[in-house]
């Protein structure tokens, strides 16, 4: 946004001094953007810093406690380098920006290696190879192993999140298509109730869902959280997909159908590819939700019938937090990685989502 | 990114297949007749053999079957939970039972037997115990009281212990106490001269002198310990005549008042109830805290952290006292809290009960008792060489049991303890005054327990 | 395509409905609608650890929340613990909503759209990080940051400024949970507001500037009117979500009395791992109150906002 300067301008013989005005307003604009940037950086640092600290602890902490000295050293290196890059980004032309990025990364890497190389180690990641992580540090507490191998929990989380994603994407896409294209009696009532359900916070229903899952006989299985999470995410996702379907002009379908395709074939081959972005967006959301789920996986089981990453991290933390911060940080890092990677790669799809038809 | 739906489906199938391969399944040889016994225990560093002894008993039984030429084998299905305490574990156990997942054998804290029986979870062991007297008749008779509900036995004691206030004598010496004063302390406690308030004053002195960072610590969650300090303030939590729980308003107010006193004079951390077990243990074992209110099984870990060898070394560094009296002239208190084996009311209960009997024999029980400093359940164990050699701590603790009581096996005792704990939380964090906290706790007890609790003034 | 293979549409009618809408209806009924009904029944019984319908119907659970007292203001008096839970819930929802979920989300949306697009995208990506990371990890990071010893990150920072280490969990528990939930809540509002701002036609901005409007004026007269609907949507939606949220409170503060909101009370009495006493009817009674509030507010939202355009007529009228 450009500010119109309010001060009076000097006129020359030929009229107002446009060059001077333009220069002033460019300067004002740069100042404003710089101020906003400083503000945004200031509020974003408290968010990024703990994650970065976790990464540093995972790679540097030794049994016995966490300290943040390595963190501050790393910050002292990375912050100037990043600032230099950001400033340079504005000043340099496009050709040199990539070079600048590579240079910044190399310089940061070299400095980090020089100052922190001695502290870095991979010992905290030994839980990936050795299942007896707790017994080795603290002694046996059980007749069997106290914790499973982390990959068991990882695999279960993958199954939970993956299956749930597939089901919820399928079901909500189908339902949204129907709602978008077909008219039937009770349609508006159905949509109204979906809206109420979407706004209705599902976590209130933990107790009755526990009872229902018990009566259906699915307690202590992975099917229970899969189905429950699917159902609870449906209203929101149906609305999002409906928004995407509404935006697809129906003449594409119509022309396919006049060409002889059945309704379903038109749906599968013509319409569906158009809403790919929506499906990716809700797929990512639901995978991340399934990956992080803690409440329903603990409520819908008795004893330790299955382990997922969230319960694994929770109990490992409870047990060895005081003794081995580093390993807990390393487990967290492993746990966070898939969410982070998925999120970063699909980020642009996520921000394209609206609340389904604000403008109709 | 595959462009077609088939592509995406195929990708997902590959990933799912890979995931399943990672999870993996182990195959075990299956015999013609496998009896699976579900064993539920808590992952507890101070008692890995509680479950371990049952597993060993199952192996022994399998050898008997093999020798007898039978095809039957016993297979133990271990369910080991990560609950933070026996109260937490009992709640998880009840939840499992309520949905039909009753284990055949469970390791539990004895006071929950009432709640278990009322929930229909336990098998009555009277017949089994009488029929198998050779396995059980050496068990110390008082211990049977801890497994009785309405006069019948529903479990077998697995161990017991002594609880005490530990004192780090080195810290007290650094704070200026002489050896003479320290030796006189125990006698003063037993005579009722040294009170609870004196204990907090002592701890505060240690902090003020700079010898300790923290005065003393207690358990950060719900548990049996608090019964003995409440008893010091005159609260008798069970009315035997009417078989109901009981609470005394004035005693409760004094108890909470004492806790507030301790927080205010700097000896007890105000956020004690939010600490983790890790930091609680570390505070005492790391030499930061002058005192710790817990139990005898800590001795092994304390010796390791302080690098102590043998009884003399240990008692030179660490002293034990009963819970002092609440006011001068009162009596010190102690608590013995047996852990028990209970047998579920399941089709396999007879076999399970026999396994429990086998695990309660002197040799396995001594392995557990001496290894983790719990008191033995059979008289005969005290004559075993291993016990005499390594059980010096237990021998030293036995006199303290003279003033020990048990918790009542009332079905609502768990709830009672949980509600009292909320009062402790409120008072220590400074949220409420002692009177308000007592009022709140009594109101909650009335609401939640109704008739099951008698409220005295 | 061979015209001879075109099937008449009518025969697909029912099977279309079953195929497309069936799974959704099935899942929603079993796991959404049925639980609401079940909750009503359970709340009026005395179901506790044994999962049996005892004493149905009875209002004894509600008796634990408040007692009838003809002399009291509304005819009943709330019991201490429930009153506290109510007050804490109100404080928690109010402050989180107005400081973070709405206001700060708005500030973030405005600032990240005012800077160049790529930079704005980077900052939005950063602010989505708490929401995208698993709840346990987020809670763990919070616990490390507010650790009351010198190791806590927060204490390290304030000690660098010469202040004493603080024990945030003990002294400022509500602040901790408000900020912790707020950082997550702000991100949803930020996305919604950003996309709404981006959909404002450019020419409105040009016209405003040509009329001599400064930045603040543009915000007031161009942007905020366009955001009226998203703001009210977010306010209502997030207030409902906050009313019943307990996951982060549980993971960060545990069953601490100082943060025992209504939702936490319900959870810790029933299914919280290791603490849940299995008092299902009691928890269901509290949940019932929350459900009623949830449905009422959701219906109010339906009324107050113009939802008609979401119900636009379908594209292809087949029947």
């Amino acid at each position: 946004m450009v500010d119109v300067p309010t001060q009076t301008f000097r006129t020359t013989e030929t009229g107002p001094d446009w060059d001077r005005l333009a220069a002033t307003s460019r300067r004002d604009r740069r100042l404003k953007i710089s101020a906003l940037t400083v503000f945004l950086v200031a509020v974003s640092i408290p968010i990024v810093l703990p994650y970065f600290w976790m990464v540093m602890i995972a790679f540097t902490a030794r049994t016995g406690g966490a300290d943040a000295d390595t963190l501050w050293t790393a910050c002292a290196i990375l912050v100037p380098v990043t600032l230099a890059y950001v400033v340079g980004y504005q000043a340099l032309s496009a050709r040199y920006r990539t070079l600048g990025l590579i240079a910044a990364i190399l310089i940061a890497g070299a400095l980090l290696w020089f100052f922190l190389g001695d502290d870095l180690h991979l010992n905290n990641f030994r839980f990936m190879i050795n299942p007896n992580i707790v017994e080795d540090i603290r002694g046996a507490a059980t007749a069997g192993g106290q914790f499973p191998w982390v990959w068991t929990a990882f695999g279960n989380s993958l199954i939970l999140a993956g299956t749930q994603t597939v089901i919820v994407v399928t079901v909500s896409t189908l339902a949204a298509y129907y709602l978008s294209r077909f008219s039937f009696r009770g349609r508006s009532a159905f949509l109204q109730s979906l809206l109420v359900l979407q706004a209705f916070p599902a976590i209130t229903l933990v107790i009755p869902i526990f009872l229902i899952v018990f009566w259906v006989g699915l307690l202590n299985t992975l099917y229970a959280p899969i189905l429950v999470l699917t159902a609870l995410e449906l209203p929101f996702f149906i609305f999002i997909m409906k928004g995407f379907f509404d935006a697809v002009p129906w003449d594409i379908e119509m022309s396919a159908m006049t060409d002889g395709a059945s309704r379903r074939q038109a749906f599968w081959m013509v319409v569906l590819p158009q809403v790919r972005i929506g499906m990716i967006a809700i797929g990512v959301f639901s995978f991340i939700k399934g990956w992080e789920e803690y409440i329903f996986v603990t409520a819908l089981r008795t004893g330790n019938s299955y382990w997922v990453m969230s319960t694994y991290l929770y109990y490992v933390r409870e047990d060895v937090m005081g003794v081995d911060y580093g390993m807990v940080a390393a487990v967290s890092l492993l746990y966070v990685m898939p969410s982070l990677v998925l999120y970063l790669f699909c980020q642009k799809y996520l921000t394209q989502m609206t609340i389904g038809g604000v403008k109709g | 990114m595959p462009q077609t739906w088939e592509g995406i489906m195929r990708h997902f199938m590959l990933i799912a297949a890979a995931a399943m391969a990672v999870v993996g399944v182990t195959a075990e040889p299956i015999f013609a007749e496998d009896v699976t016994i579900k064993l539920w225990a808590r992952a507890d560093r101070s008692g890995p053999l509680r479950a371990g002894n049952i597993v060993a008993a199952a192996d022994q039984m399998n050898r008997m079957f093999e020798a007898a030429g039978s095809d039957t084998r016993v297979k133990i299905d271990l369910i080991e939970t990560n609950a933070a305490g026996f109260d937490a574990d009992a709640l998880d156990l009840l939840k499992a039972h309520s949905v039909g997942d009753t284990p055949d054998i469970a390791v539990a804290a004895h006071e929950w037997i009432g709640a278990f029986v009322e929930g229909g979870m336990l098998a009555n062991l009277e017949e089994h115990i009488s029929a198998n007297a050779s396995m059980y008749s050496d068990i110390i008779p008082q211990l049977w009281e801890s497994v009785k509900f309405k006069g019948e036995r529903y479990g077998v004691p697995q161990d017991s212990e002594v609880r005490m206030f530990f004192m780090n004598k080195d810290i007290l010496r650094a704070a200026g106490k002489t050896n003479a004063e320290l030796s006189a302390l125990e006698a003063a406690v037993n005579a009722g001269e040294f009170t609870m308030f004196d204990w907090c004053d002592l701890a505060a002195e240690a902090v003020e002198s700079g010898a300790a960072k923290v005065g003393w610590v207690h358990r950060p969650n719900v548990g049996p310990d608090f019964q003995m300090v409440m008893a010091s303030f005159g609260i008798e939590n069970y009315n035997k005549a009417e078989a109901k729980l009981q609470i005394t308003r004035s005693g409760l107010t004094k108890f909470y008042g004492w806790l507030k006193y301790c927080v205010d004079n700097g000896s007890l951390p105000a956020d004690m109830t939010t600490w983790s077990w890790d930091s609680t243990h570390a505070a005492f074992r790391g030499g930061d805290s002058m005192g710790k209110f817990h139990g005898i099984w800590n001795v092994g870990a304390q010796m390791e952290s302080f690098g102590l060898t043998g009884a003399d070394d240990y008692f030179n560094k660490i002293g034990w006292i009963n819970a002092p009296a609440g006011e001068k002239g009162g009596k010190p208190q102690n608590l013995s809290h047996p852990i028990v084996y209970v047998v579920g009311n399941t089709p396999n209960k007879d076999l399970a009960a026999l396994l429990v009997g086998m695990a309660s024999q002197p040799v396995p029980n001594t392995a557990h008792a001496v290894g983790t400093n719990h008191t033995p359940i059979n008289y005969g164990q005290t004559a075993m060489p291993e016990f005499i050699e390594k059980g010096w701590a237990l021998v030293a603790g036995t006199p303290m049991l003279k003033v020990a009581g048990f918790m009542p096996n009332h079905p609502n005792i768990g709830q009672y303890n949980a509600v009292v704990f909320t009062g402790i939380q409120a008072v220590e964090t400074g949220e409420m005054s002692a009177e308000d906290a007592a009022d709140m706790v009594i109101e909650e007890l009335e609401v939640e327990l109704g008739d099951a609790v008698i409220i005295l003034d | 395509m061979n015209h001879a293979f075109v099937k008449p549409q009518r025969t697909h009618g029912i099977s279309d409905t079953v195929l497309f809408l069936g799974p959704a209806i099935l899942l929603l009924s079993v796991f959404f609608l049925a639980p609401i009904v079940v909750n009503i029944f359970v709340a009026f019984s005395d179901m506790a650890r044994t999962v049996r319908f005892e004493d149905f119907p009875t209002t004894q659970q509600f008796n634990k929340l408040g007692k009838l007292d003809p002399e009291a203001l509304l005819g009943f008096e709330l019991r201490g613990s429930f009153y506290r839970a109510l007050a804490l819930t109100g404080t928690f929802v109010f402050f989180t909503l107005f400081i973070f979920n709405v206001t700060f989300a708005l500030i973030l949306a405005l600032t990240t759209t005012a800077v160049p697009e790529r930079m704005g995208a980077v900052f939005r990506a950063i602010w989505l990080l708490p929401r995208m990371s698993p709840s346990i990890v987020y809670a763990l990071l919070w616990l490390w940051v507010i650790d009351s010893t010198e190791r806590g990150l927060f204490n390290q920072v304030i000690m660098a400024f010469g202040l004493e280490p603080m024990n945030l969990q003990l002294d400022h528990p509500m602040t901790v949970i408000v900020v912790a939930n707020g950082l997550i809540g702000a991100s949803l509002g930020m996305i919604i507001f950003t996309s709404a701002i981006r959909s404002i036609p450019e020419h409105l901005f040009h016209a405003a500037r040509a009329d001599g409007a400064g930045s603040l004026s543009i915000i007031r007269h161009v942007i905020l009117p366009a955001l009226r609907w998203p703001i009210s949507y977010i306010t209502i939606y997030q207030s409902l979500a906050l009313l019943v949220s307990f996951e982060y409170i549980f993971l960060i503060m545990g069953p601490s009395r100082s943060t025992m909101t209504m939702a936490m009370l319900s959870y810790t009495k029933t299914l919280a791992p290791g603490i849940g006493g299995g008092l299902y009817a009691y928890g269901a009674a509290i949940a019932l109150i929350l459900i009623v509030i949830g449905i009422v507010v959701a219906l109010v939202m339906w009324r107050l906002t113009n939802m008609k355009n979401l119900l636009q007529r379908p594209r292809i009228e087949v029947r």
Side-chain angles (χ1 to χ4, degrees), chain B residues 54-202:
Chain B
I54 302 272
V55 174
D59 288 338
Q60 193 172 23
M61 195 177 267
N62 284 337
R63 285 193 290 277
M64 291 190 211
F65 279 130
E66 200 180 333
S70 160
D71 263 340
T72 312
R73 292 291 184 273
V74 174
K75 192 161 136 359
I76 299 280
D77 182 15
L78 260 179
I79 305 171
E80 289 179 301
T81 68
N82 287 294
F86 278 105
D87 283 67
D89 198 49
L91 291 170
D92 284 339
L93 191 48
L94 279 167
K95 180 182 172 195
H97 166 68
S98 71
V99 295
D101 264 352
T102 317
D104 297 299
I105 305 176
V107 172
H110 78 93
E111 75 270 17
W112 283 91
I113 285 186
F116 291 159
V117 173
E118 293 247 311
M121 191 174 111
L122 298 185
N124 189 323
L125 293 180
E126 279 297 337
E127 254 185 67
H128 163 79
I129 294 175
S130 337
N132 291 287
S134 57
M135 286 206 274
Y136 296 112
S137 48
D138 198 29
I139 291 186
I140 301 172
Q142 294 97 296
L143 287 175
W144 285 120
E145 291 307 308
S146 68
V147 296
K148 282 196 185 154
F149 182 64
K150 296 195 172 144
E152 311 241 311
R153 288 176 283 197
Y154 285 90
V156 176
Q158 193 271 335
D159 66 23
S160 189
E161 24 81 333
V162 187
R163 303 205 176 213
M164 63 275 282
F165 281 68
F166 293 98
M167 308 181 287
N168 187 329
K169 288 190 190 164
D170 281 344
I171 290 183
L172 286 173
R173 289 185 195 111
K177 298 287 169 199
T178 63
N179 274 333
E181 285 174 321
L182 292 176
S183 338
L185 207 51
E186 194 174 340
V189 167
N190 286 335
E193 291 294 314
F194 184 85
T195 67
M196 288 293 218
F197 293 91
D198 295 326
W199 165 258
C200 285
D201 287 336
L202 185 65

Side-chain angles (χ1 to χ4, degrees), chain B residues 338-372:
Chain B
I339 301 296
V340 300
Y341 285 121
V342 289
V343 173
N345 202 359
T346 60
N348 291 323
K349 59 186 176 205
D350 297 319
L351 186 60
L354 284 169
L355 284 174
V356 166
M358 287 166 74
S360 306
Q361 297 308 301
V363 172
N365 197 277
T366 299
H368 162 79
V370 160
T372 58

Side-chain angles (χ1 to χ4, degrees), chain A residues 51 66 72 178 181-182 192 195 198 201 203 242 246 259 263-264 292 317 321 325 332 343 355-356, chain C residues 1 12 15-17 125 128 133 135 140 144 151 156 215 229 233 240 244 302 310-311 315-316 318-319:
Chain A
Y51 288 93
W72 300 125
Y178 196 79
R181 294 295 191 254
F182 287 73
Q192 281 188 27
L195 187 65
Q198 177 200 349
I203 208 98
K242 180 174 173 303
D246 287 343
D259 274 350
R263 196 64 188 271
R264 298 180 190 189
E292 75 157 3
R317 178 194 79 92
M321 172 85 133
Y325 265 73
S332 310
Y343 164 56
I355 31 179
Chain C
M1 289 254 180
H12 272 287
S15 65
D16 264 349
T17 319
L128 266 177
S133 43
S135 44
L140 189 61
W144 278 343
R151 282 197 304 225
Q156 292 205 22
S215 294
W229 197 91
Y233 172 80
L240 280 177
V244 301
W302 168 264
L310 277 172
L311 298 186
R315 302 307 178 121
I316 303 180
V318 178
R319 273 168 282 282

